[in-house]
Amino acid sequence: MSKQINVALIGNPNTGKTSVFNALTGLNQKVGNYPGITVDKKEGICKLSRGVKAHILDLPGTYSLNASSLDENVVIELLLNKNDKNYPDVAVIVSDVENLKRNLLLFTQIKDLKIPTILAINMADRMSRKGISLDIELLEKELKTKITLVSTRKNEGITDLKALIENYKTLSTEPCLDTSTIDTEYFNSLKQAFPNQDLYKLWVVISQDANFGKIDRNELDFSKFKTKSKSELKRLQQKETIKRYQFINGVLKEGQTIDVTKAKGLRAQFDRVLTHKVWGYVIFFVILLTIFQAIYDWATVPMDFIDSSFASLADWIKVTFSGGGKLTNLIAEGVVAGIGGIVIFIPQIAFLFLFIAVLEESGYMSRVVFLMDRIMRRFGLSGKSIVPLISGTACAIPAIMATRNIENWKERLITILVTPFTTCSARLPVYLIIIALVIPEGRFLGLSYQALTLMLLYLIGFGMAVFSAYILDKILKTNRKTFFVIEMPSYKVPLLKNVILTVIEKTKTFVFEAGRIILAISIVLWILASYGPGKEFNNAETIVEQTYPELQGEQLENKVASYKLEHSFIGIVGKTIEPAIRPLGYDWKIGIGLVTSFAAREVFVGTLATIYSVGSALDDDDKTIKNRMANEVHDNGKKVFTLASGISLLLFYAFAMQCMSTLAIVKRETNSWKWPMIQLFGMSLIAYIVALIAFQILK
Amino acid sequence: MSLTIADLKKGEKAIIVDSSSEDIPLKLLEMGCLPGNIVELLQVAPFHDPIYLNINDSYLAIRKETAALILIDIINE
Ligand SMILES: Nc1nc2c(ncn2[C@@H]2O[C@H](COP(=O)(O)OP(=O)(O)OP(=O)(O)O)[C@@H](O)[C@H]2O)c(=O)[nH]1
Ligand SMILES: [Mg+2]
């Protein structure tokens, strides 16, 4: 097999690198009109002609070779390490035709590293409406490279790009300009001290901001070399930047013409409203309201359908395979009930992902960052924290990854710590079923009480996140300077294909990830609930008949089933923790749900579904999970799910840290077990106390 | 007393005179915040912070404290 060509896609944030990646590889990585969608490396394979393959690497966006946040650092580390297995044979600089000037800064830096470089000028479809025309031939000559105009939206230029990649060996590796003239003396002494090293690479390593440039300096021993002070270095970097822009301006003066009279754009008109001091906030609030109304109201039709379908499926299995004994029961009561508990939430979760995708693709997200920065700063957060906090409503895991573009470590850490308070989609199943049980139907100003309760829960989660950020801001000390720069992308009509793909991908992942855990847990649960130690479990029939001689037929069966459950393995676990959760208004069955939920919250509904279907002999109108829960009673005949216990449960789930995957990701992102442990114990303690207070007041 | 970007009013344009203060993040310079370039104030958030600018054809938002470090000459039209 011939060697693969290593290709790295590099460029400023939001220039369409991932779109180009998807076009080259046929994969579907997430695309979004917000700087910082990609925060880690992604790999794919692209087939070129004659059996040659290219290994394509999609990277986070960066403005230059000086990292100022973690995601940018990924790129610099790769480019400075020739031994990295992904070190590019050829770099494709993806740039935005609307802002070539700034994009070329990074381009000239990469050229200085003597990596063969192709310039892919993306978004070519926008040239005519912006009145831009380019003299490609001249630009190729001046920039000493090959250029291709690309439009991933129109699928243009990708074939040309492939051809250029294939012939990468013919590309010039000559730098565009000589940077050493910014301080000839200094660069000469550098050259003398490290004769075998590439001069520009040395300079990049030396000038790297210590906060992020964790680049391994070991191979270079700077101890015997007199380096400059931090401010001297900074001055030199500034000089370098000015010099590069002089060169770029010179090139573009000849190679680019912009006819301003032809330039059309709705940026100003949209911004006037969307970032307005008053309307901006009103619109943001209305958008949020719409999302909740959609999740709650519009999704109920498909949900009811799914719920009853699964109930009939379980029934059908029981009837059809009635000869199957225990196995039939396992499938009908354990597996189907458990899976049904998660499939039912697909409509809502898809809605949520849909809205988030549209907000990101349109370019609106950056405007929200702008509106919220000042407010968020009061609480020790950054305006950029709003994006993790919003996308945390889908799932905390990508949200925590999304904090990587926050420049300031303290603001980033606080954002990571408080993000799990936002209402993620895994809480949704729990909320929805409990709200449906305990909150009355009815409407207020056209919005249903149930939708309002849901909205309130989101607000509580968000409020708790912000409040604990405030506390953490007071506790955590740091002397690092904060700064904040965010690009405001131009507005784009969301590409339907991108949006749909994102929604499908994410929903699929959610269902399969959650489905796996739920499947495993429901099987284990079912076994633990169907077997038990001792004579109480095994002689349940006799004992019940003796204690309640008056019971007959179905009633007797029910009593036996629940007696058995109580004395099964899982029943014993539930009974053991019951004293601790009684004050919160829960019985031992809910207790079992709480225990399993520490693996992942969404397991709760499935667990209860399994437990209640094991614990009762079915009759016809008792089939759906919701009905079973509604009919649950305590020993004294009082209903288990009342307003008090329901609210208490809702609050417990709002605050408790019940997600192993999130803890794992926090460990990875903060590089220590300290922070995830603080989250686990801190959040769960808060949950317990709040739920306790709520139940004691309401009962 | 010299003017800074923080003194700009909505819709005003200016030429950057000096951006060499050490506390200005390099990223901002790389985005084009350099002497000689034009800056326009497009929108302001409440309390004039952060502010939304067009610097050298880049659209970006920065905080007031950073804006106050960049010296300018206002262009009168
Ligand atoms: N009009 C137009 N828009 C495009 C084109 N290519 C990408 N876009 C849009 O540009 C935005 C950014 O695309 P991405 O592919 O996510 O950009 P990226 O460079 O990977 O961004 P980061 O990962 O955040 O650095 C998306 O909204 C795309 O739909 C194009 O050729 N034309
Ligand atoms: Mg990307």
Side-chain angles (χ1 to χ4, degrees):
Chain A
M1 208 191 85
S2 59
K3 187 187 166 296
Q4 286 183 0
I5 306 173
N6 266 340
V7 182
L9 298 175
I10 299 170
N12 287 181
N14 210 33
T15 54
K17 295 174 295 300
T18 305
S19 305
V20 171
F21 176 87
N22 289 345
L24 285 175
T25 61
L27 295 174
N28 291 316
Q29 286 297 335
K30 183 174 185 263
V31 165
N33 190 13
Y34 176 76
I37 292 285
T38 312
V39 290
D40 209 348
K41 297 184 259 209
K42 289 276 153 48
E43 309 173 35
I45 296 290
C46 167
K47 284 204 185 77
L48 305 172
S49 65
R50 281 179 267 115
V52 185
K53 279 187 191 157
H55 174 264
I56 316 277
L57 195 64
D58 182 25
L59 289 162
T62 177
Y63 291 104
S64 80
L65 288 182
N66 302 291
S68 54
S69 59
L70 264 181
D71 49 348
E72 298 184 350
N73 204 37
V74 175
V75 184
I76 289 123
E77 265 177 5
L78 172 72
L79 292 178
L80 293 183
N81 182 5
K82 281 204 170 131
N83 300 322
D84 193 309
K85 73 168 176 18
N86 289 325
Y87 186 82
D89 297 313
V90 51
V92 175
I93 310 293
V94 181
S95 50
D96 179 351
V97 72
E98 279 183 57
N99 202 340
L100 256 190
K101 203 190 297 175
R102 201 191 61 217
N103 284 275
L104 285 177
L105 181 80
L106 177 66
F107 170 84
T108 62
Q109 288 182 324
I110 307 276
K111 283 284 278 179
D112 282 6
L113 286 175
K114 308 202 177 59
I115 299 172
T117 305
I118 297 167
L119 181 61
I121 302 180
N122 191 24
M123 319 230 185
D125 52 297
R126 290 173 74 92
M127 282 171 73
S128 60
R129 34 181 323 200
K130 294 285 164 181
I132 302 173
S133 47
L134 298 171
D135 183 342
I136 300 291
E137 222 169 291
L138 183 129
L139 289 174
E140 282 189 336
K141 196 166 125 281
E142 295 284 324
L143 297 170
K144 303 192 178 75
T145 187
K146 288 284 173 199
I147 298 179
T148 165
L149 284 174
V150 177
S151 165
T152 59
R153 285 221 166 173
K154 298 238 158 87
N155 205 9
E156 283 165 7
I158 298 294
T159 329
D160 292 348
L161 181 59
K162 285 186 187 173
L164 288 178
I165 292 175
E166 203 170 335
N167 298 317
Y168 76 95
K169 288 203 170 119
T170 61
L171 290 167
S172 139
T173 53
E174 200 186 327
C176 293
L177 68 168
D178 180 9
T179 10
S180 66
T181 55
I182 54 174
D183 188 339
T184 323
E185 199 184 321
Y186 182 67
F187 275 80
N188 276 339
S189 64
L190 252 181
K191 205 190 265 169
Q192 267 161 19
F194 307 96
N196 301 326
Q197 292 287 342
D198 183 78
L199 191 59
Y200 187 66
K201 184 179 150 185
L202 279 173
W203 165 240
V204 173
V205 175
I206 290 179
S207 57
Q208 210 52 233
D209 185 342
N211 291 345
F212 291 100
K214 283 180 299 179
I215 290 152
D216 197 3
R217 297 184 186 210
N218 289 341
E219 57 164 316
L220 302 169
D221 181 14
F222 285 108
S223 57
K224 49 186 193 305
F225 183 74
K226 149 185 100 47
T227 46
K228 293 193 173 246
S229 74
K230 237 185 146 178
S231 62
E232 280 174 313
L233 284 178
K234 183 130 190 237
R235 189 134 309 141
L236 275 187
Q237 284 181 314
Q238 192 182 5
K239 249 178 128 179
E240 180 194 336
T241 312
I242 293 176
K243 195 173 158 73
R244 287 187 191 279
Y245 269 121
Q246 274 167 358
F247 168 78
I248 293 164
N249 286 338
V251 172
L252 287 184
K253 209 169 178 179
E254 295 171 53
Q256 172 181 262
T257 38
I258 300 180
D259 186 348
V260 203
T261 55
K262 279 198 195 142
K264 292 190 285 275
L266 295 169
R267 174 190 285 269
Q269 284 90 317
F270 272 116
D271 277 338
R272 200 165 301 146
V273 187
L274 295 180
T275 63
H276 188 270
K277 280 179 189 174
V278 179
W279 299 121
Y281 294 94
V282 172
I283 290 170
F284 182 46
F285 191 71
V286 169
I287 289 177
L288 290 183
L289 255 178
T290 317
I291 297 179
F292 295 113
Q293 184 65 14
I295 290 178
Y296 213 89
D297 249 17
W298 307 348
T300 43
V301 181
M303 286 177 70
D304 288 344
F305 172 74
I306 296 172
D307 198 13
S308 54
S309 311
F310 267 86
S312 356
L313 178 65
D315 254 12
W316 180 81
I317 292 177
K318 279 195 165 180
V319 174
T320 320
F321 302 97
S322 54
K326 289 257 177 204
L327 184 66
T328 305
N329 280 342
L330 168 64
I331 292 173
E333 293 173 350
V335 178
V336 173
I339 297 289
I342 201 68
V343 171
I344 189 170
F345 299 104
I346 291 181
Q348 275 155 332
I349 285 158
F351 259 125
L352 186 66
F353 288 143
L354 176 78
F355 278 104
I356 292 180
V358 170
L359 291 188
E360 272 177 355
E361 261 286 291
S362 61
Y364 181 63
M365 222 48 143
S366 294
R367 274 66 187 185
V368 178
V369 169
F370 171 74
L371 285 176
M372 298 301 284
D373 181 61
R374 172 70 196 235
I375 302 166
M376 304 297 280
R377 224 182 315 158
R378 286 232 181 107
F379 303 100
L381 296 164
S382 155
K384 292 185 185 176
S385 312
I386 200 81
V387 177
L389 290 179
I390 289 178
S391 63
T393 53
C395 175
I397 294 164
I400 284 169
M401 305 257 300
T403 61
R404 288 192 188 174
N405 77 342
I406 299 177
E407 297 90 345
N408 180 270
W409 165 245
K410 183 177 163 186
E411 287 174 348
R412 175 163 179 260
L413 178 66
I414 296 181
T415 312
I416 291 178
L417 290 178
V418 305
T419 295
F421 275 123
T422 53
T423 305
C424 67
S425 49
R427 285 185 178 98
L428 210 50
V430 185
Y431 285 178
L432 294 170
I433 198 129
I434 297 171
I435 289 177
L437 283 173
V438 304
I439 305 292
E441 282 174 28
R443 270 167 196 279
F444 176 74
L445 295 178
L447 294 162
S448 73
Y449 285 140
Q450 301 189 334
L452 284 173
T453 311
L454 187 69
M455 169 127 185
L456 203 61
L457 280 163
Y458 274 82
L459 287 179
I460 287 174
F462 190 78
M464 196 59 182
V466 171
F467 175 72
S468 39
Y470 182 75
I471 306 285
L472 285 166
D473 183 42
K474 295 276 171 276
I475 298 170
L476 297 171
K477 290 274 170 279
T478 161
N479 42 15
R480 285 213 195 129
K481 272 240 168 333
T482 68
F483 74 87
F484 170 90
V485 180
I486 183 154
E487 225 197 315
M488 307 292 255
S490 42
Y491 291 101
K492 294 208 171 85
V493 180
L495 202 58
L496 194 66
K497 187 176 139 236
N498 282 348
V499 173
I500 304 265
L501 277 175
T502 313
V503 172
I504 293 178
E505 281 298 309
K506 287 197 164 181
T507 313
K508 231 166 63 188
T509 331
F510 176 84
V511 173
F512 284 110
E513 288 293 309
R516 271 214 320 263
I517 311 177
I518 288 170
L519 191 64
I521 291 192
S522 35
I523 293 176
V524 172
L525 263 181
W526 182 85
I527 293 173
L528 291 179
S530 305
Y531 296 91
K535 59 178 191 310
E536 260 135 344
F537 182 86
N538 294 314
N539 301 329
E541 282 87 356
T542 354
I543 298 175
V544 173
E545 268 169 38
Q546 278 165 10
T547 336
Y548 306 96
E550 76 282 2
L551 287 184
Q552 288 291 322
E554 205 169 274
Q555 276 182 312
L556 179 68
E557 268 175 56
N558 267 334
K559 200 75 203 172
V560 172
S562 62
Y563 189 83
K564 271 192 159 176
L565 182 62
E566 215 173 316
H567 293 94
S568 68
F569 289 108
I570 197 72
I572 295 168
V573 174
K575 285 277 181 187
T576 315
I577 62 164
E578 195 171 22
I581 55 172
R582 255 284 128 115
L584 310 187
Y586 316 151
D587 69 349
W588 56 275
K589 290 186 187 172
I590 299 179
I592 297 168
L594 290 190
V595 171
T596 53
S597 291
F598 273 89
R601 300 176 176 97
E602 60 272 35
V603 170
F604 179 77
V605 180
T607 303
L608 290 193
T610 308
I611 291 177
Y612 290 144
S613 49
V614 175
S616 69
L618 296 186
D619 53 34
D620 275 342
D621 51 50
D622 206 16
K623 279 182 299 199
T624 62
I625 305 170
K626 188 178 140 188
N627 286 339
R628 280 185 202 147
M629 289 172 75
N631 293 337
E632 252 326 270
V633 286
H634 284 294
D635 293 340
N636 57 15
K638 286 210 178 113
K639 282 217 182 296
V640 172
F641 292 95
T642 59
L643 189 65
S645 67
I647 300 281
S648 157
L649 251 186
L650 289 175
L651 291 172
F652 187 87
Y653 273 85
F655 299 139
M657 178 68 189
Q658 299 161 299
C659 180
M660 305 267 214
S661 324
T662 303
L663 291 172
I665 220 76
V666 172
K667 149 83 179 51
R668 199 182 81 190
E669 295 293 308
T670 61
N671 250 323
S672 96
W673 277 110
K674 176 175 157 199
W675 302 113
M677 285 304 120
I678 289 178
Q679 279 180 318
L680 177 62
F681 292 105
M683 290 174 66
S684 306
L685 186 69
I686 294 174
Y688 189 89
I689 295 172
V690 174
L692 178 70
I693 296 172
F695 181 71
Q696 294 304 332
I697 292 175
L698 289 170
K699 88 175 165 182
Chain B
M1 210 203 75
S2 46
L3 290 171
T4 69
I5 290 189
D7 301 315
L8 277 176
K9 293 194 189 65
K10 212 163 121 173
E12 270 183 336
K13 279 188 185 176
I15 288 191
I16 298 174
V17 179
D18 181 82
S19 59
S20 61
S21 157
E22 247 192 77
D23 291 332
I24 300 176
L26 187 61
K27 192 168 178 176
L28 204 54
L29 305 183
E30 287 163 353
M31 287 172 123
C33 178
L34 292 166
N37 285 338
I38 293 181
V39 48
E40 181 182 356
L41 182 67
L42 299 176
Q43 293 287 335
V44 292
F47 303 103
H48 213 81
D49 189 17
I51 55 178
Y52 175 1
L53 306 165
N54 177 357
I55 299 184
N56 194 32
D57 297 337
S58 285
Y59 293 87
L60 42 95
I62 58 176
R63 288 180 185 162
K64 197 174 167 183
E65 54 188 33
T66 316
L69 301 170
I70 305 165
L71 306 183
I72 49 160
D73 268 344
I74 294 185
I75 304 173
N76 295 311
E77 277 166 24

